[in-house]
Amino acid sequence: MRIILFGPPGVGKGTHAKLLSAKLNIPHISTGDMLRKAVAAETELGKKAKAVMDAGQLVSDEIMIGIMRDVLTSEKTKNGFILDGFPRTLPQAEALTHLLNELRMQLNTVVNMEISEREIVDRLGKRLTCRKCGKIYNLNIDKLSNPTKCPNCGGELYQRDDDKPETVLKRLRVYNESTAPVKNYYKNLDLLQNVNASGRIEDINNAILAMLTHR
Ligand code: AMP
């Protein structure tokens, strides 16, 4: 299975990619997670990416396409992948098509996850992430007895710098301007399937799974 989870920030791509990865035994490839790791490790890439990410902007296509080339030519993704956060621009989508053609791989589907902007802003303001295991929590939904400690692994929970209110609005603008047009690209390739991403996580995940079995 080669799947793209597509949609605005905060729609639940990371949460659902992790669940699908465990259920289907395919690697979850999150470009955001990869960049955050590079920032934490203070690598050259991390140093370049930090300011861009904190400002809610996109890292350059050239860098992101290079990263994706490394990932897709690795052993890890040989038998499938779930992409989360890539492609985010039309040039990235076109580069991915070329890369997959070169590797003689085909995408099964692009799941377009949809929720209202109001819900996005609300969710991102309440989102906490575990520094250790990466699990994502929502203060409105998850009953956390201690909001600084991950119930899953005991790691530290933190709010992403780019989830602060001023950056969230910027990210939504960037999504609408640069990323949303990618939907049409996949619609024209007859790969796009829409899912309502508002509601219970398990119900939404089952709806996505049902879509995958029809591809
Ligand atoms: P995410 O965790 O997917 O929300 O990504 C966090 C941030 O990483 C984004 O706001 C961008 O600054 C950067 N980023 C992640 N993926 C990409 C991508 N495909 N293209 C450009 N920037 C990206």
mmCIF file of all heavy atoms in Angstrom, residues 159-190:
data_model
loop_
_atom_site.group_PDB
_atom_site.id
_atom_site.type_symbol
_atom_site.label_atom_id
_atom_site.label_comp_id
_atom_site.label_asym_id
_atom_site.label_seq_id
_atom_site.Cartn_x
_atom_site.Cartn_y
_atom_site.Cartn_z
ATOM 1 N N GLN A 159 3.932 21.651 23.904
ATOM 2 C CA GLN A 159 3.183 22.270 22.804
ATOM 3 C C GLN A 159 4.187 22.671 21.723
ATOM 4 O O GLN A 159 5.185 23.347 22.014
ATOM 5 C CB GLN A 159 2.428 23.521 23.270
ATOM 6 C CG GLN A 159 1.609 24.107 22.126
ATOM 7 C CD GLN A 159 0.855 25.389 22.483
ATOM 8 O OE1 GLN A 159 1.372 26.273 23.153
ATOM 9 N NE2 GLN A 159 -0.373 25.487 21.999
ATOM 10 N N ARG A 160 3.950 22.228 20.485
ATOM 11 C CA ARG A 160 4.853 22.596 19.395
ATOM 12 C C ARG A 160 4.909 24.116 19.252
ATOM 13 O O ARG A 160 3.882 24.785 19.367
ATOM 14 C CB ARG A 160 4.349 21.977 18.084
ATOM 15 C CG ARG A 160 4.710 20.525 17.920
ATOM 16 C CD ARG A 160 4.022 19.861 16.758
ATOM 17 N NE ARG A 160 4.032 20.635 15.520
ATOM 18 C CZ ARG A 160 3.589 20.171 14.355
ATOM 19 N NH1 ARG A 160 3.114 18.931 14.277
ATOM 20 N NH2 ARG A 160 3.603 20.916 13.279
ATOM 21 N N ASP A 161 6.113 24.662 18.976
ATOM 22 C CA ASP A 161 6.248 26.114 18.807
ATOM 23 C C ASP A 161 5.291 26.629 17.744
ATOM 24 O O ASP A 161 4.719 27.708 17.868
ATOM 25 C CB ASP A 161 7.692 26.477 18.387
ATOM 26 C CG ASP A 161 8.644 26.420 19.570
ATOM 27 O OD1 ASP A 161 8.152 26.481 20.714
ATOM 28 O OD2 ASP A 161 9.856 26.296 19.344
ATOM 29 N N ASP A 162 5.105 25.822 16.686
ATOM 30 C CA ASP A 162 4.264 26.322 15.586
ATOM 31 C C ASP A 162 2.774 26.079 15.844
ATOM 32 O O ASP A 162 1.946 26.350 14.982
ATOM 33 C CB ASP A 162 4.715 25.744 14.231
ATOM 34 C CG ASP A 162 4.663 24.230 14.157
ATOM 35 O OD1 ASP A 162 4.422 23.577 15.197
ATOM 36 O OD2 ASP A 162 4.861 23.690 13.050
ATOM 37 N N ASP A 163 2.416 25.593 17.028
ATOM 38 C CA ASP A 163 0.990 25.487 17.398
ATOM 39 C C ASP A 163 0.532 26.701 18.202
ATOM 40 O O ASP A 163 -0.625 26.755 18.648
ATOM 41 C CB ASP A 163 0.720 24.203 18.200
ATOM 42 C CG ASP A 163 0.600 22.975 17.287
ATOM 43 O OD1 ASP A 163 0.497 23.156 16.063
ATOM 44 O OD2 ASP A 163 0.592 21.847 17.810
ATOM 45 N N LYS A 164 1.406 27.688 18.408
ATOM 46 C CA LYS A 164 0.994 28.909 19.105
ATOM 47 C C LYS A 164 0.035 29.677 18.190
ATOM 48 O O LYS A 164 0.205 29.656 16.956
ATOM 49 C CB LYS A 164 2.228 29.777 19.438
ATOM 50 C CG LYS A 164 3.347 29.019 20.161
ATOM 51 C CD LYS A 164 3.345 29.283 21.665
ATOM 52 C CE LYS A 164 3.971 28.150 22.466
ATOM 53 N NZ LYS A 164 5.426 28.082 22.427
ATOM 54 N N PRO A 165 -0.988 30.361 18.783
ATOM 55 C CA PRO A 165 -2.068 30.928 17.971
ATOM 56 C C PRO A 165 -1.619 31.764 16.768
ATOM 57 O O PRO A 165 -2.147 31.604 15.666
ATOM 58 C CB PRO A 165 -2.845 31.803 18.962
ATOM 59 C CG PRO A 165 -2.484 31.299 20.305
ATOM 60 C CD PRO A 165 -1.152 30.631 20.207
ATOM 61 N N GLU A 166 -0.607 32.649 16.937
ATOM 62 C CA GLU A 166 -0.239 33.521 15.820
ATOM 63 C C GLU A 166 0.315 32.707 14.649
ATOM 64 O O GLU A 166 0.052 33.000 13.480
ATOM 65 C CB GLU A 166 0.691 34.654 16.232
ATOM 66 C CG GLU A 166 1.924 34.438 17.070
ATOM 67 C CD GLU A 166 1.845 33.777 18.439
ATOM 68 O OE1 GLU A 166 0.767 33.496 19.008
ATOM 69 O OE2 GLU A 166 2.946 33.511 18.942
ATOM 70 N N THR A 167 1.042 31.623 14.952
ATOM 71 C CA THR A 167 1.638 30.813 13.886
ATOM 72 C C THR A 167 0.582 29.921 13.226
ATOM 73 O O THR A 167 0.670 29.637 12.032
ATOM 74 C CB THR A 167 2.794 29.950 14.456
ATOM 75 O OG1 THR A 167 3.564 30.762 15.327
ATOM 76 C CG2 THR A 167 3.679 29.425 13.366
ATOM 77 N N VAL A 168 -0.414 29.499 13.989
ATOM 78 C CA VAL A 168 -1.460 28.639 13.430
ATOM 79 C C VAL A 168 -2.171 29.361 12.276
ATOM 80 O O VAL A 168 -2.381 28.787 11.195
ATOM 81 C CB VAL A 168 -2.475 28.241 14.528
ATOM 82 C CG1 VAL A 168 -3.740 27.672 13.918
ATOM 83 C CG2 VAL A 168 -1.840 27.235 15.485
ATOM 84 N N LEU A 169 -2.496 30.636 12.463
ATOM 85 C CA LEU A 169 -3.206 31.378 11.408
ATOM 86 C C LEU A 169 -2.326 31.493 10.162
ATOM 87 O O LEU A 169 -2.800 31.356 9.036
ATOM 88 C CB LEU A 169 -3.626 32.762 11.907
ATOM 89 C CG LEU A 169 -4.656 32.704 13.044
ATOM 90 C CD1 LEU A 169 -5.004 34.101 13.530
ATOM 91 C CD2 LEU A 169 -5.937 31.978 12.592
ATOM 92 N N LYS A 170 -1.052 31.714 10.383
ATOM 93 C CA LYS A 170 -0.090 31.804 9.272
ATOM 94 C C LYS A 170 -0.047 30.463 8.523
ATOM 95 O O LYS A 170 -0.074 30.410 7.288
ATOM 96 C CB LYS A 170 1.283 32.139 9.878
ATOM 97 C CG LYS A 170 2.406 32.183 8.929
ATOM 98 C CD LYS A 170 2.478 33.505 8.233
ATOM 99 C CE LYS A 170 3.180 33.314 6.911
ATOM 100 N NZ LYS A 170 3.144 34.373 6.028
ATOM 101 N N ARG A 171 0.005 29.357 9.280
ATOM 102 C CA ARG A 171 0.081 28.032 8.640
ATOM 103 C C ARG A 171 -1.174 27.742 7.816
ATOM 104 O O ARG A 171 -1.101 27.116 6.764
ATOM 105 C CB ARG A 171 0.278 26.943 9.710
ATOM 106 C CG ARG A 171 1.709 26.930 10.245
ATOM 107 C CD ARG A 171 1.807 26.169 11.539
ATOM 108 N NE ARG A 171 1.622 24.744 11.391
ATOM 109 C CZ ARG A 171 1.223 23.950 12.368
ATOM 110 N NH1 ARG A 171 0.944 24.445 13.560
ATOM 111 N NH2 ARG A 171 1.086 22.659 12.164
ATOM 112 N N LEU A 172 -2.317 28.196 8.336
ATOM 113 C CA LEU A 172 -3.558 27.970 7.583
ATOM 114 C C LEU A 172 -3.538 28.751 6.270
ATOM 115 O O LEU A 172 -4.000 28.267 5.239
ATOM 116 C CB LEU A 172 -4.765 28.404 8.411
ATOM 117 C CG LEU A 172 -5.219 27.371 9.440
ATOM 118 C CD1 LEU A 172 -6.345 27.926 10.288
ATOM 119 C CD2 LEU A 172 -5.673 26.097 8.721
ATOM 120 N N ARG A 173 -2.984 29.969 6.327
ATOM 121 C CA ARG A 173 -2.889 30.771 5.098
ATOM 122 C C ARG A 173 -1.974 30.069 4.094
ATOM 123 O O ARG A 173 -2.298 29.944 2.912
ATOM 124 C CB ARG A 173 -2.357 32.169 5.437
ATOM 125 C CG ARG A 173 -3.173 33.219 4.774
ATOM 126 C CD ARG A 173 -2.869 34.663 5.022
ATOM 127 N NE ARG A 173 -1.628 35.018 5.625
ATOM 128 C CZ ARG A 173 -1.497 35.519 6.850
ATOM 129 N NH1 ARG A 173 -2.562 35.675 7.611
ATOM 130 N NH2 ARG A 173 -0.325 35.862 7.309
ATOM 131 N N VAL A 174 -0.848 29.596 4.588
ATOM 132 C CA VAL A 174 0.103 28.894 3.709
ATOM 133 C C VAL A 174 -0.561 27.635 3.136
ATOM 134 O O VAL A 174 -0.422 27.326 1.954
ATOM 135 C CB VAL A 174 1.401 28.529 4.486
ATOM 136 C CG1 VAL A 174 2.271 27.574 3.707
ATOM 137 C CG2 VAL A 174 2.169 29.796 4.840
ATOM 138 N N TYR A 175 -1.335 26.933 3.971
ATOM 139 C CA TYR A 175 -2.031 25.726 3.487
ATOM 140 C C TYR A 175 -2.987 26.089 2.337
ATOM 141 O O TYR A 175 -2.962 25.459 1.278
ATOM 142 C CB TYR A 175 -2.821 25.048 4.623
ATOM 143 C CG TYR A 175 -3.652 23.893 4.092
ATOM 144 C CD1 TYR A 175 -3.065 22.657 3.843
ATOM 145 C CD2 TYR A 175 -4.995 24.051 3.790
ATOM 146 C CE1 TYR A 175 -3.802 21.615 3.306
ATOM 147 C CE2 TYR A 175 -5.746 23.011 3.254
ATOM 148 C CZ TYR A 175 -5.140 21.793 3.012
ATOM 149 O OH TYR A 175 -5.864 20.760 2.460
ATOM 150 N N ASN A 176 -3.801 27.123 2.566
ATOM 151 C CA ASN A 176 -4.794 27.484 1.541
ATOM 152 C C ASN A 176 -4.132 27.943 0.244
ATOM 153 O O ASN A 176 -4.599 27.621 -0.842
ATOM 154 C CB ASN A 176 -5.734 28.576 2.068
ATOM 155 C CG ASN A 176 -6.686 28.000 3.095
ATOM 156 O OD1 ASN A 176 -7.094 26.835 3.009
ATOM 157 N ND2 ASN A 176 -7.030 28.784 4.108
ATOM 158 N N GLU A 177 -3.013 28.665 0.383
ATOM 159 C CA GLU A 177 -2.366 29.205 -0.822
ATOM 160 C C GLU A 177 -1.516 28.167 -1.555
ATOM 161 O O GLU A 177 -1.610 28.032 -2.769
ATOM 162 C CB GLU A 177 -1.449 30.386 -0.450
ATOM 163 C CG GLU A 177 -2.244 31.663 -0.259
ATOM 164 C CD GLU A 177 -1.445 32.748 0.439
ATOM 165 O OE1 GLU A 177 -0.204 32.653 0.510
ATOM 166 O OE2 GLU A 177 -2.091 33.706 0.930
ATOM 167 N N SER A 178 -0.684 27.430 -0.818
ATOM 168 C CA SER A 178 0.317 26.583 -1.489
ATOM 169 C C SER A 178 -0.032 25.105 -1.498
ATOM 170 O O SER A 178 0.362 24.382 -2.414
ATOM 171 C CB SER A 178 1.677 26.730 -0.792
ATOM 172 O OG SER A 178 2.038 28.081 -0.732
ATOM 173 N N THR A 179 -0.749 24.635 -0.476
ATOM 174 C CA THR A 179 -0.949 23.185 -0.350
ATOM 175 C C THR A 179 -2.301 22.733 -0.914
ATOM 176 O O THR A 179 -2.363 21.707 -1.601
ATOM 177 C CB THR A 179 -0.800 22.755 1.131
ATOM 178 O OG1 THR A 179 0.445 23.265 1.630
ATOM 179 C CG2 THR A 179 -0.808 21.256 1.281
ATOM 180 N N ALA A 180 -3.365 23.502 -0.644
ATOM 181 C CA ALA A 180 -4.700 23.073 -1.092
ATOM 182 C C ALA A 180 -4.757 22.777 -2.606
ATOM 183 O O ALA A 180 -5.439 21.828 -3.021
ATOM 184 C CB ALA A 180 -5.753 24.099 -0.686
ATOM 185 N N PRO A 181 -4.024 23.529 -3.468
ATOM 186 C CA PRO A 181 -4.081 23.217 -4.904
ATOM 187 C C PRO A 181 -3.614 21.796 -5.256
ATOM 188 O O PRO A 181 -3.966 21.274 -6.321
ATOM 189 C CB PRO A 181 -3.139 24.256 -5.539
ATOM 190 C CG PRO A 181 -3.099 25.388 -4.568
ATOM 191 C CD PRO A 181 -3.264 24.771 -3.205
ATOM 192 N N VAL A 182 -2.863 21.176 -4.362
ATOM 193 C CA VAL A 182 -2.388 19.808 -4.620
ATOM 194 C C VAL A 182 -3.571 18.825 -4.707
ATOM 195 O O VAL A 182 -3.507 17.801 -5.377
ATOM 196 C CB VAL A 182 -1.363 19.379 -3.522
ATOM 197 C CG1 VAL A 182 -0.974 17.925 -3.645
ATOM 198 C CG2 VAL A 182 -0.142 20.276 -3.566
ATOM 199 N N LYS A 183 -4.686 19.195 -4.047
ATOM 200 C CA LYS A 183 -5.889 18.341 -4.092
ATOM 201 C C LYS A 183 -6.335 18.109 -5.530
ATOM 202 O O LYS A 183 -6.640 16.996 -5.935
ATOM 203 C CB LYS A 183 -7.042 19.040 -3.353
ATOM 204 C CG LYS A 183 -7.258 18.542 -1.961
ATOM 205 C CD LYS A 183 -8.486 19.176 -1.352
ATOM 206 C CE LYS A 183 -8.201 20.569 -0.865
ATOM 207 N NZ LYS A 183 -9.269 21.205 -0.125
ATOM 208 N N ASN A 184 -6.376 19.201 -6.302
ATOM 209 C CA ASN A 184 -6.831 19.092 -7.683
ATOM 210 C C ASN A 184 -5.901 18.245 -8.523
ATOM 211 O O ASN A 184 -6.343 17.540 -9.433
ATOM 212 C CB ASN A 184 -6.942 20.488 -8.319
ATOM 213 C CG ASN A 184 -8.389 20.904 -8.382
ATOM 214 O OD1 ASN A 184 -9.276 20.041 -8.407
ATOM 215 N ND2 ASN A 184 -8.620 22.193 -8.392
ATOM 216 N N TYR A 185 -4.618 18.344 -8.197
ATOM 217 C CA TYR A 185 -3.611 17.557 -8.925
ATOM 218 C C TYR A 185 -3.967 16.067 -8.807
ATOM 219 O O TYR A 185 -4.000 15.340 -9.790
ATOM 220 C CB TYR A 185 -2.221 17.849 -8.348
ATOM 221 C CG TYR A 185 -1.101 17.052 -8.959
ATOM 222 C CD1 TYR A 185 -0.518 17.454 -10.156
ATOM 223 C CD2 TYR A 185 -0.627 15.883 -8.353
ATOM 224 C CE1 TYR A 185 0.517 16.724 -10.729
ATOM 225 C CE2 TYR A 185 0.395 15.148 -8.911
ATOM 226 C CZ TYR A 185 0.968 15.573 -10.102
ATOM 227 O OH TYR A 185 1.982 14.837 -10.670
ATOM 228 N N TYR A 186 -4.286 15.627 -7.576
ATOM 229 C CA TYR A 186 -4.595 14.208 -7.379
ATOM 230 C C TYR A 186 -6.011 13.857 -7.823
ATOM 231 O O TYR A 186 -6.279 12.719 -8.197
ATOM 232 C CB TYR A 186 -4.327 13.806 -5.923
ATOM 233 C CG TYR A 186 -2.842 13.713 -5.645
ATOM 234 C CD1 TYR A 186 -2.230 14.564 -4.745
ATOM 235 C CD2 TYR A 186 -2.056 12.793 -6.331
ATOM 236 C CE1 TYR A 186 -0.852 14.490 -4.514
ATOM 237 C CE2 TYR A 186 -0.690 12.720 -6.119
ATOM 238 C CZ TYR A 186 -0.093 13.567 -5.216
ATOM 239 O OH TYR A 186 1.259 13.503 -5.010
ATOM 240 N N LYS A 187 -6.895 14.848 -7.785
ATOM 241 C CA LYS A 187 -8.253 14.606 -8.288
ATOM 242 C C LYS A 187 -8.177 14.297 -9.785
ATOM 243 O O LYS A 187 -8.797 13.362 -10.283
ATOM 244 C CB LYS A 187 -9.106 15.860 -8.036
ATOM 245 C CG LYS A 187 -10.563 15.645 -8.236
ATOM 246 C CD LYS A 187 -11.369 16.755 -7.605
ATOM 247 C CE LYS A 187 -12.826 16.519 -7.915
ATOM 248 N NZ LYS A 187 -13.462 17.700 -8.465
ATOM 249 N N ASN A 188 -7.356 15.088 -10.486
ATOM 250 C CA ASN A 188 -7.207 14.865 -11.923
ATOM 251 C C ASN A 188 -6.556 13.522 -12.238
ATOM 252 O O ASN A 188 -6.770 12.966 -13.312
ATOM 253 C CB ASN A 188 -6.385 15.998 -12.561
ATOM 254 C CG ASN A 188 -7.165 17.292 -12.565
ATOM 255 O OD1 ASN A 188 -8.400 17.280 -12.537
ATOM 256 N ND2 ASN A 188 -6.468 18.422 -12.561
ATOM 257 N N LEU A 189 -5.774 13.007 -11.307
ATOM 258 C CA LEU A 189 -5.165 11.678 -11.510
ATOM 259 C C LEU A 189 -6.101 10.566 -11.021
ATOM 260 O O LEU A 189 -5.735 9.396 -11.008
ATOM 261 C CB LEU A 189 -3.829 11.581 -10.756
ATOM 262 C CG LEU A 189 -2.678 12.448 -11.256
ATOM 263 C CD1 LEU A 189 -1.451 12.289 -10.354
ATOM 264 C CD2 LEU A 189 -2.304 12.090 -12.690
ATOM 265 N N ASP A 190 -7.297 10.974 -10.568
ATOM 266 C CA ASP A 190 -8.297 10.034 -10.068
ATOM 267 C C ASP A 190 -7.815 9.244 -8.847
ATOM 268 O O ASP A 190 -8.124 8.061 -8.699
ATOM 269 C CB ASP A 190 -8.707 9.068 -11.200
ATOM 270 C CG ASP A 190 -10.089 8.503 -10.964
ATOM 271 O OD1 ASP A 190 -10.842 9.114 -10.182
ATOM 272 O OD2 ASP A 190 -10.403 7.438 -11.528
#
